[in-house]
């Protein structure tokens, strides 16, 4: 089974910068975070994308991507010992198993994030319909193949241009599905999440029942527990023996993110020199952002993020476990319904006197959306470290 990655890994990297800015840490420390991040010009070349949604002011829309790449952010292959720790097989494919649209209002008000299930079946430009998590990898593969046929023999150059093409197509697919213009791009790989959970000393979770899954390596007792590293990956990767498969896993990811944010804010990570060095190491090995993303400016706009003030939702789906013509299990969606739901949850980019967050949380889901598939749920993650310490993490299946 292809490895899935945590919904909030890229968000945690951005949160680190937000916390630095809004809690008075030094500018030099923030610069160290910025210097550790790898950049890509993926959005610079997106101006010619046909039918792109308009770019409005009032908020920043960030595409957060978690990839299962078996290389670090510089393209260096991960050693076998690391792959064993990640509990995943070595493969040349790249899947983006975590895809989120995060809207950060410029006025510091509540942020909203919408998850897109990895098995969502969508058209891929210049290709056929595929699961959305393969848009990046499929495009990269065929781009590298074409470049080799054209006489580009340098593997590193083919990798670089393949990644660029894959990211560009993924951005386009997400824009076409959601109707949201992507302002910024942030990508984190599997290894970064593994390192980050170790730096913050693990994450507190709770399960309603004991569960196991040999494919992901999950083997957990019921009740509250603290997990990190390979166990944390297994927790958010598990698809078998939990309700609704991929959608059930997204619920786990969202709850895990809430606990991870609280731990990050309360563990002294950013004031402890050793922990900060570990964080910067994880960022340098795992994070890629577009070259127009100014973390310092974003941090000033993200005060709500630093307080855990984020609401999560998942796009509505019409079917789980359907089969395509190749026998693959897929998730089907109604594109018009997805666009309507995303517009309802995210609200207008330009803030208005009526709070978009309140409307999103109380309005009914679009016609045809069912609670069973999670399309109508909005999960609030605005309980800070104190609330988590008092109440403990919410228990999930």
């Amino acid at each position: 089974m292809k490895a899935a990655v945590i919904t909030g890994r890229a968000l945690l990297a951005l949160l680190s910068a937000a916390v630095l800015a809004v809690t008075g840490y030094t500018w030099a420390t923030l610069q160290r975070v910025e210097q550790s991040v790898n950049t890509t010009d993926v959005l610079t070349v997106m101006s010619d994308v046909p039918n792109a949604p308009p770019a409005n002011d009032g908020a920043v829309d960030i595409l957060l991507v978690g990839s299962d790449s078996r290389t670090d952010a510089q393209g260096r292959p991960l050693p076998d010992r690391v792959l064993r720790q990640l509990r995943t097989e070595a493969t040349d494919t790249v899947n983006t198993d975590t895809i989120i649209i995060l809207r950060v209002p410029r006025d510091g008000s509540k942020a909203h994030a919408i998850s897109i299930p990895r098995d969502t079946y969508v058209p891929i430009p210049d290709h056929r319909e595929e699961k959305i998590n393969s848009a990046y990898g499929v495009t990269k593969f065929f781009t590298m193949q074409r470049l080799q046929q054209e006489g580009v023999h340098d593997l590193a150059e083919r990798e670089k241009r393949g990644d660029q093409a894959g990211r560009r197509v993924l951005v386009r697919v997400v824009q076409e599905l959601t109707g949201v213009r992507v302002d910024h791009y942030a990508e984190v790989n599997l290894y970064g999440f593994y390192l980050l959970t170790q730096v913050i000393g693990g994450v507190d979770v709770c399960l309603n029942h004991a569960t196991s899954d040999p494919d992901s390596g999950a083997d957990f007792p019921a009740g509250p527990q603290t997990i990190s590293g390979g166990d944390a990956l297994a927790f958010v990767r598990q698809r078998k023996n939990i309700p609704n498969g991929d959608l059930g896993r997204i619920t786990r990811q969202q709850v895990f993110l809430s606990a991870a944010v609280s731990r990050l804010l309360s563990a002294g990570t950013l004031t402890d020199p050793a922990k900060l060095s570990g964080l910067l190491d994880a960022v340098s090995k795992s994070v890629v952002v577009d070259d127009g993303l100014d973390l310092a400016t974003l941090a000033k706009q993200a005060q709500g993020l630093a307080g855990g003030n984020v609401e999560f939702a998942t796009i509505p789906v019409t079917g789980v476990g359907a089969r395509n013509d190749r026998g693959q299990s897929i998730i089907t969606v109604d594109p018009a319904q997805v666009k309507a739901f995303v517009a309802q949850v995210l609200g207008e980019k330009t803030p208005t006197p009526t709070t978009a967050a309140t409307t999103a949380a109380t309005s009914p889901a679009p016609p045809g959306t069912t609670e069973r598939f999670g399309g109508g749920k909005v999960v609030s993650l605005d309980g800070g470290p104190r609330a988590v310490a008092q109440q403990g993490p919410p228990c999930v299946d």
Side-chain angles (χ1 to χ4, degrees):
M1 186 187 77
K2 304 299 183 185
V5 282
I6 181 63
T7 300
R9 297 173 310 172
L11 180 54
L12 286 171
L14 298 177
L15 271 168
S16 301
V19 174
L20 285 169
V22 303
T23 56
Y25 293 115
T26 67
W27 184 259
T29 304
L30 180 56
Q31 285 185 313
R32 289 180 63 192
V33 174
E34 288 186 310
Q35 291 167 359
S36 298
V37 177
N38 305 280
T39 60
T40 172
D41 62 351
V42 58
L43 296 183
T44 305
V45 295
M46 293 295 294
S47 58
D48 60 345
V49 172
N51 303 316
N56 298 319
D57 294 328
V60 177
D61 288 315
I62 306 170
L63 177 58
L64 305 176
V65 175
S67 80
D68 67 354
S69 172
R70 273 58 171 185
T71 63
D72 65 15
Q74 285 83 38
R76 297 172 297 206
L78 298 176
D80 289 341
R81 62 173 180 80
V82 171
L83 293 175
R84 286 193 295 270
Q85 291 173 334
L86 300 181
R87 303 176 186 178
T88 186
E89 75 284 2
T91 177
D92 292 332
T93 61
V94 176
N95 289 310
T96 52
D97 291 334
T98 299
I99 302 172
I100 309 170
I101 289 288
L102 172 69
R103 174 161 292 177
V104 181
R106 298 185 191 277
D107 64 358
S109 58
K110 184 183 292 291
H112 290 78
I114 295 183
S115 299
I116 302 174
R118 52 165 273 171
D119 290 344
T120 303
Y121 208 51
V122 294
I124 307 298
D126 301 320
H127 194 56
R128 60 190 177 189
E129 284 190 300
E130 295 278 5
K131 298 179 183 182
I132 196 168
N133 75 322
S134 67
Y136 184 137
V138 164
T139 303
K140 177 178 179 177
F141 173 81
F142 285 113
T143 298
M144 291 182 65
Q145 188 179 65
R146 174 180 55 79
L147 290 171
Q148 187 172 30
Q149 293 170 349
E150 292 175 355
V152 180
H153 301 299
D154 184 350
L155 177 59
E157 178 65 18
R158 296 202 306 271
E159 286 273 359
K160 178 181 177 181
R161 292 166 66 176
D163 283 332
Q164 181 79 335
R167 290 170 180 140
R168 184 165 58 247
V169 165
L170 178 59
V171 170
R172 180 175 172 183
V173 169
V174 169
Q175 289 188 159
E176 291 177 353
L177 176 65
T178 64
V180 173
R181 175 68 169 260
V182 174
D183 298 317
H184 292 294
Y185 178 92
E187 175 187 320
V188 186
N189 64 31
L190 195 66
Y191 190 35
F193 168 63
Y194 176 92
L195 293 173
L196 181 60
T197 59
Q198 292 186 314
V199 169
I200 64 176
V203 175
D204 296 327
V205 298
C206 180
L207 288 173
N208 289 318
H209 310 284
T211 184
S212 63
D213 171 23
D215 287 345
S216 65
D219 186 11
F220 302 108
Q225 50 209 289
T226 301
I227 57 177
S228 66
D231 286 336
L233 283 170
F235 182 85
V236 299
R237 285 178 58 201
Q238 185 175 358
R239 299 176 74 189
K240 295 180 179 178
N241 302 323
I242 58 175
N244 289 328
D246 195 29
L247 295 179
R249 182 177 56 184
I250 285 178
T251 299
R252 276 199 185 185
Q253 292 173 347
Q254 292 173 347
V255 170
F256 185 97
L257 174 60
S258 178
V261 169
S262 295
R263 177 62 70 96
L264 176 65
L265 298 180
S266 62
T269 303
L270 301 173
T271 56
D272 182 313
K275 289 183 177 180
L276 179 59
S277 293
L279 176 64
L280 296 177
D281 180 60
V283 168
S284 67
K285 292 178 178 176
S286 63
V287 178
V288 178
V289 302
D290 71 275
D291 52 13
L293 179 58
D294 180 355
L295 291 180
T297 300
L298 177 64
K300 295 175 183 178
Q301 299 164 353
Q303 296 187 31
L305 288 180
N309 196 17
V310 186
E311 282 188 348
F312 269 89
T314 304
I315 64 168
V317 305
T318 57
V320 177
R323 298 284 172 176
N324 63 9
D325 56 1
R326 284 155 279 157
Q328 297 173 319
S329 177
I330 61 174
I331 289 177
T332 57
V333 296
D334 177 343
Q337 188 182 92
V338 170
K339 288 183 176 66
F341 178 77
V342 169
Q344 179 192 51
V345 171
L346 295 185
E348 295 295 330
K349 271 196 168 186
T350 302
T352 60
T354 57
T355 305
T358 302
T359 303
T362 57
S363 299
T369 301
T370 61
E371 286 290 323
R372 175 187 173 196
F373 292 135
K377 292 185 178 179
V378 176
V379 181
S380 178
L381 301 182
D382 55 4
R386 181 177 301 175
V388 172
Q390 291 177 346
Q391 302 175 7
C395 291
V396 295
D397 291 323

